[in-house]
Amino acid sequence: MKRGVIVVAMLLGLALAQSQPQIVRWGEYTVRIESRSPTESLLRIIRADRTQVEIRGVRFETQLVELTGQEPRELWINENSGGTNCCTTAYFFTQERSFRNMLIYYGRSTGILELRDVNGDKIPEVIVGTDVFADFGGLPRAVYPRLTYLLGWDGVRYVDVTARYPTLGFSTLSFYRQSLESALKTGDGVGARSAALGYYARGLINGQAAEARDWISKNTPAEVRRWLFDLEGEVLRALYADLGCRLTVSYSKVLPPKPVCAN
């Protein structure tokens, strides 16, 4: 009997320990994360005992980062739903000129990669990844081209500024061209198609599409060119819609917002 009581007491104590909320102080605000089950958590941003925003998700991580060049620092919340190839959503909030949401980035199997001041103005840009070409054109998910965007703060909102900095290491064409050349030398047809797609898409994102298309037309076998250019319309449509599906701002008290686009 005593042994059973001890086991029950231990389990009860563990349950109580797991249910203790995580508290993060953010100036006059408190971030409170409550784990309600292995698959559900609730994050609330509170001021003076009043909830300003609540976010439902699975697992949350928070950190304070400087995004505007003015104190206090901004709040970065990353929600991860777990599972294979899924799913991250990043939320950024500021107190500058009143509390508000600055950015929500729906990263799916990728997300925020880095904060980096690329132009020396002491306000970091946000480097984000996209899985827009996962399961695209018959390519195996394991080899789809990983692409990035650069988001910059224009004083009002985050906008795509990737094409302004085409020579930066994360956004050059050279990586995919080298990968394409290597795949062609080894006879890796799948790798060649993936690299050709990455090279052309990188050119589109950077504003260097003509250069990329011209090089592919002159330096790849007919089967690679035919595969890529037969899909050209789908590539353009996918990239055109991509950031619009991932990048948003919300003034709602309850998040996450409804998806802008399916998948």
Side-chain angles (χ1 to χ4, degrees), residues 47-141:
R47 183 182 184 188
D49 296 325
R50 299 188 63 180
T51 297
Q52 309 297 308
V53 170
E54 65 176 46
I55 308 172
R56 295 185 181 274
V58 179
R59 294 194 302 271
F60 291 102
E61 296 177 346
T62 65
Q63 59 180 299
L64 301 182
V65 294
E66 184 52 66
L67 293 178
T68 64
Q70 299 184 31
E71 292 290 343
R73 291 180 292 170
E74 278 62 51
L75 174 66
W76 174 7
I77 300 167
N78 201 57
E79 190 272 333
N80 192 321
S81 65
T84 304
N85 298 318
C86 204
C87 283
T88 66
T89 304
Y91 303 85
F92 291 89
F93 294 89
T94 186
Q95 296 181 43
E96 183 190 357
R97 292 182 296 177
S98 77
F99 170 82
R100 67 190 189 282
N101 173 239
M102 299 175 72
L103 169 66
I104 301 173
Y105 186 74
Y106 180 40
R108 292 200 290 263
S109 63
T110 179
I112 309 298
L113 303 178
E114 185 184 351
L115 304 180
R116 188 199 305 179
D117 180 6
V118 302
N119 57 13
D121 65 355
K122 298 183 180 180
I123 299 177
E125 282 66 40
V126 182
I127 302 170
V128 298
T130 174
D131 58 359
V132 63
F133 292 120
D135 305 310
F136 184 87
L139 288 175
R141 173 174 278 270

Side-chain angles (χ1 to χ4, degrees), residues 7-260:
V7 171
V8 171
M10 290 176 62
L11 292 175
L12 180 59
L14 180 60
L16 289 172
Q18 290 176 335
S19 65
Q20 292 298 311
Q22 177 185 348
I23 302 296
V24 178
R25 304 297 180 188
W26 180 42
E28 297 180 359
Y29 295 82
T30 298
V31 182
R32 181 184 178 95
I33 304 172
E34 302 172 11
S35 179
R36 298 188 167 185
S37 77
T39 59
E40 182 184 8
S41 294
L42 176 66
L43 182 147
R44 292 188 295 152
I45 302 175
I46 303 167
R47 183 182 184 188
D49 296 325
R50 299 188 63 180
T51 297
Q52 309 297 308
V53 170
E54 65 176 46
I55 308 172
R56 295 185 181 274
V58 179
R59 294 194 302 271
F60 291 102
E61 296 177 346
T62 65
Q63 59 180 299
L64 301 182
V65 294
E66 184 52 66
L67 293 178
T68 64
Q70 299 184 31
E71 292 290 343
R73 291 180 292 170
E74 278 62 51
L75 174 66
W76 174 7
I77 300 167
N78 201 57
E79 190 272 333
N80 192 321
S81 65
T84 304
N85 298 318
C86 204
C87 283
T88 66
T89 304
Y91 303 85
F92 291 89
F93 294 89
T94 186
Q95 296 181 43
E96 183 190 357
R97 292 182 296 177
S98 77
F99 170 82
R100 67 190 189 282
N101 173 239
M102 299 175 72
L103 169 66
I104 301 173
Y105 186 74
Y106 180 40
R108 292 200 290 263
S109 63
T110 179
I112 309 298
L113 303 178
E114 185 184 351
L115 304 180
R116 188 199 305 179
D117 180 6
V118 302
N119 57 13
D121 65 355
K122 298 183 180 180
I123 299 177
E125 282 66 40
V126 182
I127 302 170
V128 298
T130 174
D131 58 359
V132 63
F133 292 120
D135 305 310
F136 184 87
L139 288 175
R141 173 174 278 270
V143 300
Y144 76 85
R146 272 67 171 174
L147 299 170
T148 56
Y149 300 110
L150 184 67
L151 308 180
W153 180 247
D154 70 357
V156 178
R157 64 190 187 279
Y158 277 97
V159 295
D160 179 19
V161 296
T162 313
R164 297 183 195 173
Y165 307 97
T167 60
L168 289 177
F170 62 84
S171 61
T172 60
L173 295 179
S174 61
F175 172 80
Y176 280 109
R177 190 164 84 180
Q178 291 169 6
S179 298
L180 178 52
E181 290 172 332
S182 177
L184 292 173
K185 287 178 181 178
T186 60
D188 179 4
V190 172
R193 289 195 295 273
S194 176
L197 174 59
Y199 184 48
Y200 184 51
R202 183 77 267 166
L204 287 166
I205 292 171
N206 283 15
Q208 298 170 296
E211 174 188 337
R213 199 181 198 286
D214 182 64
W215 192 93
I216 290 170
S217 297
K218 294 177 179 178
N219 295 279
T220 61
E223 59 267 22
V224 174
R225 296 195 304 272
R226 189 181 307 115
W227 175 85
L228 177 63
F229 295 141
D230 282 352
L231 291 170
E232 191 168 18
E234 293 180 41
V235 173
L236 292 168
R237 284 190 292 273
L239 284 178
Y240 181 79
D242 191 37
L243 273 182
C245 294
R246 297 172 185 272
L247 191 65
T248 187
V249 173
S250 176
Y251 302 100
S252 174
K253 184 176 179 179
V254 179
L255 298 172
K258 293 181 179 180
V260 177

